[in-house]
Structure formats: structure tokens, C-alpha cells
Amino acid sequence: MRELNQKLLAVFQVEHKEHLEQIRSLLEHLEKGAGVSPGPELDEVFRRAHSLKGAARAVDLRPVETLAHRLETLFSRVREGALRVDQPVLEVIRQTLDATEDLVACLGENRKPADPAPVLEAIERVLGMEPDARPAPPQAPVAGVAADAAPMQPIETVRVGAESLDRLLGSSGRLLAESLSQDRVTQQLNHLARDIAGMEKEWERSREASSLPLKRLAAMPEFARLGRHLDSVRQQVRSLSSQARTVCLLQQRSNWALRHLSEQLQQDVCRVRMAPAESVFDGFRKMVRDLAADEGKQIAFRVSGLEVQADRMVLQALKDPVMHLLRNAVCHGIESSGERAAAGKAPVGQVRLALETRGDRLRVLVEDDGRGIDVAAVRSVAVRKGLVPEAEAGLRPPEELARLIFLPGFSTSKMVTDLAGRGMGLSIVSEHVKRLQGQAELQGKNGPGVSILLSVPLSISTERLLLVACAGQTFAIPAYSIERLCRIEIREVQTVEGKPAILLQGRPVRLATLAELLGLPADAARGRNGAALPAVVLKAAESLAAVVVDAFLAEKAAPVKDLGIPQGEAGKTAGGILLEDGSVAVVLNPAELLNAFQGSGAIPVLAPGEPAAEKKQPNILVVDDSITTRSLEKSILEAHGYRVRVAVDGVEALAQLRSERADLVIADVQMPRLDGFGLLAEMKRDEHLGKIPVIIVTSLERREDQEKGLALGADAYIVKRKFDQRDLLDTIRQIL
């Protein structure tokens, strides 16, 4: 019986929300025509209230059943024409729906519900009823539930800490990366097997060509031993070739199994991390009601899509941004009843939160029917803060000015309150969403108010990416942002408002090279030999832009890792992925790339005339025995325009420096064979290497170690525990 009650309660938890949401939706139609004659909407809300009453009775939730029964009676009176659906009646209906929702929510949250008596009294006053015997106020978290029923909880579940799940996901990601690196082992074994097979064939050809002389020599006693040795070598080569083929086959099977199991493990962990949006966002309805009461505003709040499943980490990361948007809608967006009446609007403001999935993206829409964005006020603040020159402010399109509200500290509010005025809400939204490799954007809206769309990956564990080559490096572009891939002929490039562009389906689309957008050196000769240029067409909202790359490399799904760059400095990067060869490819932020088009000029590789002189890239040698640290520092430095080589210890570093000088050396201290201090000492003793600047980056943070490094001639000493990419990049710029 206990198990049956749990199942019934779980079903009711889902069913009652559907009834409440449908009633709220139908109330909007009733509100637009208050006092209308009975129609399909009234029939449907009556049916929903009746079904809710029956469902509550089935699980013995007496307070909910009573509220639903009163709603059913009210809608029956309206259908009969005995009661008009005016604002007081609508307000009582909303209070009843909210109270019903709160009562059911207490079942899963193990808390004491509020007393429904005030709401019952309000609805009975509307109905003109004398208060009758009502259920006693609930005294326990599950009041009104049968004695043998238990609070709702999933059946046959195991509670696992969030940190444990995160560690498991990290381990599965590393396992998957390791399985990818096994491809190189397989390739090397295949090369080895082919080389041995070639040796075997060459041996057979040589033996066949010298068979007659060998037979003559075999008859001579002094050469008989040589003949036996050659036969033995022949057998050994054959055996080695056979073993190599067997090992290759075993490695291929093992590699396939490891890859398959790694991917399966990561998929299983990702599924475990998936949770309904309801588990994180369900409390927003009460929050909006409380905020509206504090602000003295009448607000109808609608939520849809809470059944959508997404990565728990994504939902948790979105909680604060969505809360900021809802608070902003209540404080800045919805006007007071007097203002709305003066503007010809309904006295009750509308705020909506809608969630949906499209492909592998989660889309969260927050909109209201309030006063909207005051573009004139935005323009004034932008000029005052120096964000837009006064002479250009009047020429900027309204949608471009409206995007400024996402900047830190930007606020048009003249008063600072507990809810608004500091100008941080929307910048926090933008930064949180960018950390999720997503974007926040204003949506076009029919009618008054503001509509803001957040688009993020459904899961932060893996993401589909397009790998492209640019300036000798590999970059990754999230697939969700790609409209299409194309190849562009030079003759197709046009000029629109002084900027390069191409026509796509009759629409001009801005054009730039990825090298230009990232500040990397470009090949000025490309595009002049008649070859078509590969380009990625990026999309964001209604905007399109084409980015020319050197080559399309591959498409893959991979876990995107944080590169440790502070959000404000990350710019056009959104993280990194580990490639099969152990190197790191920087994942680009599509939204920031599109923003960069605002300032990009003509494309050097497409411009006619003599190519510009290539700027010499500083040559940096990174010395560290950790492959992860080497790969990370190499990728970051290359992304900032430096040419980078790597060495595993001081001995290899000295050998490289003596064969090819470097402009700067970045070295760890604790390394095998020759450590960083030893490398520094050897360099200073060498007249050819002594003038090369050296930066020590190490976990040794004792003052004695720092003094030793600087005494040996290091130009800078950075402690890894306090390591910040900005410190390293700033130090390099100062030195070079």
C-alpha cells in the first residue's frame, strides 16, 4: 500500500501542474473579455478544476480537494451567468491556484504548508457562501495524506553527492581523452608492422637474388655457419613480422573497446546528471509573487517547459541569471497599476518564463509586457559613460544601443534599491551564460515589454565542435553557432559600407578572416591563385557573419575544459579541448567573434595589391615536464600571437636553444635531468644564450626559492598557486 501511495502521489505531482498551468493560460483569454458569455474557455477551466478535485481526492489531499471544489463551484457560477469574471474574481482565482501549488510543493520539500483558510474565505466571499466546516489547518508537512502514505520520493534511488558526480564526469572525460591518444599508439604500431613487413620482403628479394652464391658458399665448411645464421635471421624476421601483425590487431581491438566503453561511461554519467528544470526553477513562481507584493504591483506569472531535462550543472548555473532577469522584469519592466491604466494596458502585468530544447541547446526565454527599454535613456547613459561618441549616438540603431544594457555597471535607473539600480544584473546574466559557452540576446517582440533569450548547451560535459585550421593552429567552433560551411571565390567578395561582404541568398553578409578577428598573422598571398577560400557562416539571433579559415579539419564531440582565463580576459575563447596528439585546441566563443565584426576592417588576404610585410612573431620556448602544463601554456600563448616550442627538461631546452635561439624562455623548476635553476645557470654561463630573458613559473613559493631564481638571473618569478594567465601575458608583454 505504501508503494502504491508513493506512485499515486508522484503521478499527481505532474498532473496537478498541468491543470494549474492550463487554467492560468485560459484565464488570460477570460481576462481579455471580462464578463463574456459562457464559451469553450469556461467549459475547459471548469473541466480542469473538476479533474483536479478528483485527482486530489484519489490521493487523499483534503485541503487541495477543498480548494479545487471551490474553484469548480466558482467556474460553474460563471458558466451560468451568475458571476462576472472581473478583476477581483480573477485575483481570487489566482490566489487559489497559488495556494494549491504551494500545498502540493510542501509534499516534496518536507515542510509545513501555509494555512489555506484565508484563501478559502476569499473565494467563499466571492461566491456569497457562509463559511462551512473546513479541514483543519495543516499541522505537518504532509497533512491531508493517508496515514500509510509517505512524502513523495523516487522509488529505488540512490543519493549521490554532486561533487562525486562531478569527479566521475571528470574521470570519464580524462578516460575518453586517453582513449583518443591511443589512436597515435595504433598508428605507430601500424607503421612499425609495415616497416617490418617491408624488411621481410626485402630480405626475401635479397635471398632470392643471392641464392646461387649462397648455395656455393654452403658447400664450403668455413661458410656453413654463415648459411645457418642467415636462415635463423630469416625465421626471426618472419616471426617478428607475424608478431607485429598480431600486436596491431590486438591494439586495434583494445583501442576500439576502450573508446567504446569510455564514450558509454561518459554518456551514462551525463544521463545521471540530467534533471528536470522543475527541480531548480520551481521556486521562481513564489519568488515573483513575493517581489510583486513588495513592489505593490499586480503580476501574472506564467511558466512553461519545466519538464525539460538538462544537465544539473547547467540548470544550477542558470538559476542566478534567470533570477536576475525575473527580478529585473518585476522592478524595471512591469509598471504600477496606475501607469498601466494610463498607457491603456490591463492592470495586471504579464511575466513569462519559457524553457525549450532545440537540438543540443537549452533555450530560456524571459519576457514581460512592461514599459520596455528606454532607448533614449540608454543613449544618454552610453554617452555619459563614454561608451558611444555623442556625435554618433543619434546614428546608432536602437537594437545596437539596447545591447549595451548587458555591460557591467550599465543602468538607467535613477534610484538604487534592494532590487535594482546598481547596473550589475544583466552583466551577471551575460557573464554566467558566456561561461556556459552560451549567449544572452534581446529578442524582437510584438507589443510592449522586453524579451531576453538565453541559449546554452544542454550539457557542459561534451559539445559538438568543428575543428578548423588558422595560422598554423587548430581552433574549435561550437556547431550550434554554424549556419553553414561554404567556399568563397575572390570574385564573389563585395564591399558594403566600406567592409568586405558576400551575398547569401540575396542577403549581404559581413566577411572577415579568423586570423584578423583573433589578431593572428595571416597569409597575405592566399586567395590570389584562384583557389576558393573555406568559410564558416556564424549565426546569432538574426545576425550572420562569414569567417574565412585556412582549412576545415574535422567534426567531433569533446568535453570543453576551462582554460583558467578570467571571464573578463577570455575574450573570444570559451575553453579548450584535448586533441588526439595531446595538444590543446582553443574553443572559440561565437558570440564574441560576431561582436568583433563591429570593429573589423578589410581582410588583408583578400585585398588587392602588394602583401603587407609579415610581422615577426616572438619565439617562446616553454620548458616543463608536465604534458598538460606544456600543452595549456602553448595553446594560450599561440592564441595570443606567439610562436611556441616546447621542451620536457633543461637538457632538451639547452639543445633546442643552441640549434635555434628563442626570444623568451618560460621554465618550470622541478624537472628531471636538469631543473629550471640549473637551466637558468647554464644559460647565463653561455655568451650566446645569456641575454635571453627567462620567466620561472613554478609551484615553489618559498621566499628562498624566489630569491634564488632572481639571483640566478630570472627576469620574473610566477608562483603556480597564484597563477593567473593575465599575469603571465602581462609579464611577457613587458619583457618583449
Side-chain angles (χ1 to χ4, degrees):
M1 187 66 180
R2 178 188 179 91
E3 182 177 346
L4 176 61
N5 283 331
Q6 287 182 340
K7 290 182 177 179
L8 287 174
L9 286 170
V11 171
F12 179 76
Q13 184 83 341
V14 176
E15 182 186 2
H16 95 282
K17 290 183 178 179
E18 180 183 348
H19 289 317
L20 295 183
E21 192 59 38
Q22 286 297 319
I23 292 174
R24 287 186 174 108
S25 178
L26 292 166
L27 283 179
E28 289 188 10
H29 296 283
L30 295 175
E31 186 175 12
K32 292 176 181 177
V36 296
S37 59
E41 291 87 359
L42 284 175
D43 293 339
E44 181 63 14
V45 292
F46 176 81
R47 187 188 68 80
R48 290 282 179 177
H50 179 76
S51 298
L52 179 62
K53 180 183 72 173
R57 182 187 301 120
V59 292
D60 201 18
L61 292 177
R62 291 186 298 276
V64 175
E65 179 187 354
T66 302
L67 288 172
H69 179 62
R70 293 293 183 268
L71 271 181
E72 181 186 27
T73 303
L74 186 150
F75 291 136
S76 176
R77 296 275 184 88
V78 174
R79 292 172 73 195
E80 295 167 358
L83 189 65
R84 292 176 57 83
V85 184
D86 54 15
Q87 283 303 320
V89 171
L90 286 170
E91 183 59 30
V92 167
I93 294 174
R94 291 193 182 96
Q95 291 175 5
T96 307
L97 296 175
D98 293 342
T100 301
E101 193 169 47
D102 289 344
L103 282 169
V104 179
C106 292
L107 292 172
E109 298 174 5
N110 195 31
R111 61 181 172 86
K112 181 180 178 179
D115 185 356
V119 177
L120 283 170
E121 291 174 359
I123 195 170
E124 287 167 356
R125 281 196 301 271
V126 168
L127 292 172
M129 299 171 56
E130 289 294 329
D132 56 6
R134 288 191 293 265
Q139 298 298 321
V142 290
V145 184
D148 60 349
M152 283 183 292
Q153 58 183 0
I155 301 172
E156 296 181 358
T157 61
V158 176
R159 292 183 178 235
V160 179
E163 293 184 1
S164 299
L165 271 180
D166 294 342
R167 286 196 298 271
L168 185 58
L169 180 64
S171 298
S172 67
R174 289 190 292 273
L175 182 60
L176 180 58
E178 179 60 30
S179 71
L180 295 176
S181 69
Q182 290 299 307
D183 288 342
R184 297 189 67 200
V185 177
T186 302
Q187 293 172 4
Q188 292 173 354
L189 283 175
N190 287 332
H191 287 311
L192 181 61
R194 285 195 292 268
D195 291 344
I196 295 175
M199 290 173 56
E200 183 183 13
K201 291 180 181 178
E202 185 61 31
W203 173 263
E204 294 294 343
R205 286 194 293 266
S206 299
R207 184 176 178 82
E208 183 179 349
S210 57
S211 59
L212 291 177
L214 288 175
K215 286 181 180 179
R216 288 195 295 268
L217 289 174
M220 303 171 64
E222 60 270 29
F223 289 106
R225 184 177 180 182
L226 174 61
R228 289 193 298 273
H229 176 69
L230 292 176
D231 287 338
S232 174
V233 171
R234 178 188 182 190
Q235 293 300 323
Q236 290 177 7
V237 171
R238 284 184 172 179
S239 176
L240 185 60
S241 178
S242 176
Q243 292 178 30
R245 289 193 296 270
T246 301
V247 170
C248 281
L249 182 59
L250 290 174
Q251 168 64 16
Q252 288 174 349
R253 290 176 178 174
S254 176
N255 187 29
W256 181 88
L258 178 61
R259 175 77 65 85
H260 178 74
L261 291 174
S262 300
E263 292 175 348
Q264 186 63 48
L265 174 60
Q266 190 163 59
Q267 290 173 7
D268 291 343
V269 175
C270 290
R271 277 195 290 269
V272 172
R273 284 164 55 104
M274 299 295 278
E278 173 187 17
S279 63
V280 176
F281 293 169
D282 197 35
F284 283 149
R285 193 185 299 279
K286 185 176 185 304
M287 182 197 78
V288 170
R289 288 203 304 270
D290 293 343
L291 291 176
D294 292 342
E295 289 283 295
K297 298 177 180 178
Q298 298 183 58
I299 294 178
F301 180 46
R302 291 184 56 200
V303 184
S304 62
L306 288 182
E307 72 283 356
V308 165
Q309 296 269 338
D311 190 322
R312 176 186 57 80
M313 294 295 291
V314 172
L315 294 174
Q316 288 290 351
L318 280 177
K319 186 174 183 179
D320 280 350
V322 173
M323 180 184 69
H324 279 295
L325 292 179
L326 292 175
R327 289 166 70 99
N328 213 50
V330 172
C331 181
H332 283 307
I334 301 299
E335 313 94 328
S336 65
S337 299
E339 290 179 274
R340 293 182 66 85
K345 296 182 179 180
V348 179
Q350 301 292 325
V351 176
R352 186 166 76 100
L353 170 63
L355 294 90
E356 66 171 356
T357 59
R358 287 193 184 178
D360 57 358
R361 305 289 291 180
L362 172 64
R363 292 161 57 90
V364 182
L365 181 71
V366 178
E367 66 178 10
D368 63 72
D369 69 343
R371 56 175 59 93
I373 297 175
D374 187 343
V375 177
V378 170
R379 183 183 293 112
S380 175
V381 173
V383 172
R384 188 174 71 248
K385 288 180 173 288
L387 299 173
V388 177
E390 187 172 2
E392 299 180 12
L395 304 177
R396 297 288 179 92
E399 57 272 15
E400 180 182 333
L401 289 170
R403 284 196 292 267
L404 296 175
I405 64 176
F406 289 104
L407 296 178
F410 195 99
S411 176
T412 58
S413 176
K414 298 179 181 180
M415 181 183 300
V416 176
T417 70
D418 289 339
L419 297 180
R422 296 175 177 84
M424 297 306 296
L426 292 179
S427 70
I428 291 174
V429 170
S430 180
E431 290 181 9
H432 275 67
V433 172
K434 284 180 182 178
R435 290 193 188 101
L436 291 171
Q437 290 91 55
Q439 59 194 64
E441 56 192 32
L442 287 167
Q443 295 285 100
K445 188 174 185 296
N446 293 326
V450 174
S451 179
I452 296 179
L453 177 67
L454 311 182
S455 175
V456 298
L458 272 176
S459 172
I460 58 176
S461 53
T462 58
E463 190 164 353
R464 287 179 57 243
L465 303 160
L466 173 69
L467 300 183
V468 299
C470 175
Q473 303 175 43
T474 299
F475 294 93
I477 302 175
Y480 75 86
S481 66
I482 299 176
E483 174 71 16
R484 67 171 69 180
L485 303 180
C486 60
R487 295 187 179 274
I488 301 171
E489 301 286 349
I490 296 299
R491 63 176 181 273
E492 297 174 352
V493 180
Q494 304 179 11
T495 300
V496 177
E497 297 180 354
K499 307 284 187 178
I502 58 173
L503 286 179
L504 287 180
Q505 298 179 340
R507 175 183 177 182
V509 174
R510 286 286 311 277
L511 182 67
T513 65
L514 183 58
E516 176 195 11
L517 297 176
L518 298 179
L520 300 177
D523 183 359
R526 289 187 67 238
R528 299 185 183 177
N529 55 6
L533 301 173
V536 181
V537 180
L538 301 177
K539 61 181 178 181
E542 300 300 320
S543 301
L544 291 178
V547 179
V548 175
V549 299
D550 293 348
F552 304 135
L553 299 180
E555 182 182 359
K556 68 178 299 181
V560 179
K561 301 296 183 183
D562 188 356
L563 293 179
I565 309 176
Q567 184 63 33
E569 298 291 326
K572 305 175 185 69
T573 65
I577 60 170
L578 188 65
L579 300 178
E580 286 82 351
D581 61 359
S583 62
V584 175
V586 173
V587 179
L588 300 174
N589 186 325
E592 292 302 314
L593 286 179
L594 286 166
N595 288 339
F597 270 82
Q598 300 297 328
S600 62
I603 304 180
V605 299
L606 301 178
E610 293 298 322
E614 184 176 346
K615 182 180 178 181
K616 183 179 181 298
Q617 294 175 269
N619 186 342
I620 298 177
L621 177 64
V622 174
V623 190
D624 200 302
D625 61 331
S626 167
I627 183 174
T628 301
T629 302
R630 289 199 309 271
S631 300
L632 176 60
E633 292 182 356
K634 182 175 185 291
S635 297
I636 295 299
L637 294 173
E638 287 179 341
H640 285 80
Y642 299 106
R643 192 158 56 95
V644 183
R645 293 179 289 151
V646 295
V648 299
D649 56 31
V651 174
E652 183 179 338
L654 285 174
Q656 287 198 36
L657 290 171
R658 285 166 180 156
S659 63
E660 181 183 355
R661 284 175 54 85
D663 298 308
L664 174 69
V665 173
I666 300 174
D668 188 16
V669 172
Q670 296 173 312
M671 297 182 293
R673 296 201 294 177
L674 183 63
D675 66 12
F677 289 152
L679 169 63
L680 184 57
E682 289 294 327
M683 289 177 61
K684 296 306 177 183
R685 281 195 288 266
D686 189 315
E687 61 177 351
H688 298 292
L689 306 180
K691 294 183 179 181
I692 298 177
V694 177
I695 298 176
I696 297 292
V697 180
T698 177
S699 58
L700 299 178
E701 54 182 311
R702 296 186 307 166
R703 175 171 295 181
E704 308 92 273
D705 295 316
Q706 298 182 36
E707 291 176 350
K708 180 179 179 180
L710 296 174
L712 286 171
D715 295 83
Y717 193 106
I718 299 177
V719 179
K720 284 184 179 178
R721 185 178 65 84
K722 304 175 182 177
F723 182 68
D724 189 324
Q725 297 291 348
R726 291 177 300 178
D727 294 340
L728 178 61
L729 294 170
D730 290 344
T731 303
I732 292 173
R733 294 187 189 103
Q734 292 174 13
I735 293 175
L736 296 180

